[in-house]
Amino acid sequence: MEKNEKELVIPENCLPVEYLIMGFTMNDILAIGICVVIGSVVALSVYHRTHNSMIAVAVIFVVGIVAITLWRRDRFTENIFNKIWIAILYQKTQKNYLYEYVDTWDKEITYDVRYNTK
């Protein structure tokens, strides 16, 4: 039996992804850091208004957790923003056809899809 020697196929137009922490690239960590800084500024202003440090700390933690959730990449190297963008593009490509059902025997419109009437 002869061996089948095939070339290794490397996908084109795919950027290499280097994770600093599993699921986070350098850009993701920078974006999370920016969100936490903005959350800290908001928390500081909340603290000056309410003089309650627990609310301010909770604001920082909530902003941090939401930022981590939004920028975490899955096994397909997509984060939430990419998935939302893919869903929007998919929705734009779908075609919707309005139709009216006409019975072959009675020749009258029995259901109109646009108005949901009988």
Side-chain angles (χ1 to χ4, degrees):
M1 308 230 14
E2 67 184 69
K3 286 188 174 179
N4 222 356
E5 295 291 329
K6 292 185 178 179
E7 288 184 27
L8 177 64
V9 179
I10 299 173
E12 296 181 19
N13 299 329
C14 295
L15 298 174
V17 178
E18 295 180 16
Y19 293 121
L20 293 178
I21 302 170
M22 192 58 195
F24 298 100
T25 62
M26 185 62 183
N27 292 337
D28 299 336
I29 292 173
L30 286 174
I32 291 169
I34 290 169
C35 286
V36 169
V37 167
I38 292 171
S40 299
V41 170
V42 171
L44 190 61
S45 68
V46 166
Y47 176 73
H48 282 295
R49 276 192 169 226
T50 63
H51 298 293
N52 189 348
S53 61
M54 290 299 289
I55 294 174
V57 172
V59 167
I60 293 173
F61 279 127
V62 167
V63 168
I65 290 170
V66 168
I68 288 171
T69 304
L70 291 177
W71 270 281
R72 170 97 167 74
R73 293 181 183 267
D74 61 358
R75 62 183 177 157
F76 304 111
T77 67
E78 295 174 347
N79 55 20
I80 298 293
F81 298 117
N82 297 123
K83 291 179 189 247
I84 291 171
W85 183 247
I86 290 169
I88 289 170
L89 290 179
Y90 178 77
Q91 189 65 29
K92 284 182 180 179
T93 59
Q94 298 303 307
K95 293 187 169 75
N96 295 325
Y97 298 103
L98 297 176
Y99 64 92
E100 295 176 346
Y101 177 76
V102 178
D103 192 7
T104 55
W105 299 101
D106 295 336
K107 300 288 184 199
E108 67 181 39
I109 297 174
T110 57
Y111 184 75
D112 192 352
V113 176
R114 291 173 289 188
Y115 305 111
N116 292 331
T117 58
K118 288 185 178 183

